[in-house]
Amino acid sequence: MINKITIIGVGLIGGSLAKAIKENNLAKVVFGFGRDLNRLEEAQKANVIDQFSTNLKDAINDSDIVIIATPVGSFQEILSEIKPFLTSKIVISDVGSTKTNIASIVSQTLGDYSSYFIPAHPIAGKEKSGFEASESNLFNNRKVIITPLETSSPDSINLIQKMWEGTGADVDFMSPESHDELLGMTSHLPHMLAFSLVNYLISKNPSASIYAAGGFKDFSRIASGDAVMWRDICIQNKDQIIDHIRGYQKTLNSLVDAIENENSDELDLLFTSAKKTRDSWIG
């Protein structure tokens, strides 16, 4: 069993990981670090974490694994702050939704310690934020993508893989670039569409939401995601997101043309193809 795992940022994902670690007895101590003492105290009372501190040195001291679970825009600052307290016995990882920029930041900021940083991303979440929404089973049978750096230590990779598998997750490996391309399509683009759809609705008719049915609520649910987190993701993965938005705009143009021209065959093909694909995903 691991002696101590420190979670930097005890929110939805960090809190869920802390709960999963505790429930599956993966570590003797789950230690939480944050800036807000009251929130940390509440997380401890809720049995999300065992111990906590607002002092980074105390939080990292004697840790075997340090997980950064804050918005990706904060990584450079956090890595700079923790670097003086790192040793070769500490493995660092994250739960961020972008990886190429993080790989660059890690190499620039940690130097020799970059071999102990193993980037990872659990493909799990909710539209809610905060440790109050955390769940110990959030990662059960969900994918976790590990994107090792060229300098990554094999032993460190193995440790992070085993930790995630211990939470019930299914671990895959890919390059940071492949990760950002894939997530740009499957996660980042849908969130951009949801945010834009809600804003469009309000701009056209602020009271229209009163009459929105289940379809709109289902599609727009993810627009309730954390604004700071998604702001940072857009900046960190901007090239992929812009590319996919432009690609999606082309499909909308094709749809406009089909509707405008009353092209029944084209509309049937578009809708039938999408339905078959979606149905095959959910079984």
Side-chain angles (χ1 to χ4, degrees), residues 119-132:
H121 178 209
I123 312 301
K126 300 161 71 174
E127 71 275 14
K128 298 179 181 179
S129 59
F131 69 81
E132 295 88 349

Side-chain angles (χ1 to χ4, degrees), residues 23-177:
E23 183 170 292
N24 292 284
N25 296 313
L26 302 179
K28 293 179 181 177
V29 176
V30 179
F31 201 100
F33 169 83
R35 310 293 186 186
D36 190 327
L37 181 61
N38 291 331
R39 293 288 292 162
L40 291 170
E41 289 175 343
E42 290 172 5
Q44 185 188 48
K45 289 177 183 177
N47 201 34
V48 177
I49 53 177
D50 299 313
Q51 301 174 27
F52 64 85
S53 178
T54 57
N55 183 294
L56 199 51
K57 183 178 181 180
D58 291 342
I60 293 176
N61 186 45
D62 292 329
S63 285
D64 299 289
I65 298 175
V66 174
I67 303 292
I68 303 175
T70 58
V72 290
S74 67
F75 274 40
Q76 186 147 19
E77 179 182 356
I78 290 174
L79 290 173
S80 295
E81 290 181 1
I82 69 175
K83 185 178 179 180
F85 313 123
L86 295 178
T87 71
S88 59
K89 296 180 180 180
I90 299 175
V91 176
I92 318 156
S93 189
D94 74 309
V95 296
S97 185
T98 65
K99 286 291 167 271
T100 306
N101 274 16
I102 287 176
S104 177
I105 289 170
V106 167
S107 297
Q108 294 171 10
T109 307
L110 293 187
D112 292 341
Y113 287 113
S114 62
S115 62
Y116 303 108
F117 189 102
I118 310 302
H121 178 209
I123 312 301
K126 300 161 71 174
E127 71 275 14
K128 298 179 181 179
S129 59
F131 69 81
E132 295 88 349
S134 62
E135 298 178 4
S136 62
N137 64 350
L138 187 65
F139 312 111
N140 282 357
N141 301 313
R142 303 301 295 270
K143 291 289 187 182
V144 170
I145 300 174
I146 294 179
T147 62
L149 309 178
E150 291 183 2
T151 58
S152 291
S153 156
D155 288 342
S156 298
I157 295 171
N158 186 55
L159 183 62
I160 296 302
Q161 179 180 357
K162 285 186 175 179
M163 181 196 74
W164 279 114
E165 289 175 344
T167 69
D170 179 18
V171 175
D172 282 347
F173 291 84
M174 62 180 65
S175 69
E177 294 79 10

Side-chain angles (χ1 to χ4, degrees), residues 205-221:
N205 186 343
S207 63
S209 61
I210 297 172
Y211 304 98
F216 180 84
K217 292 178 180 178
D218 288 344
F219 188 88
S220 63
R221 174 185 60 82

Side-chain angles (χ1 to χ4, degrees), residues 195-210 216:
F195 290 132
S196 298
L197 178 63
V198 171
N199 288 332
Y200 174 76
L201 181 77
I202 297 303
S203 70
K204 297 298 288 185
N205 186 343
S207 63
S209 61
I210 297 172
F216 180 84

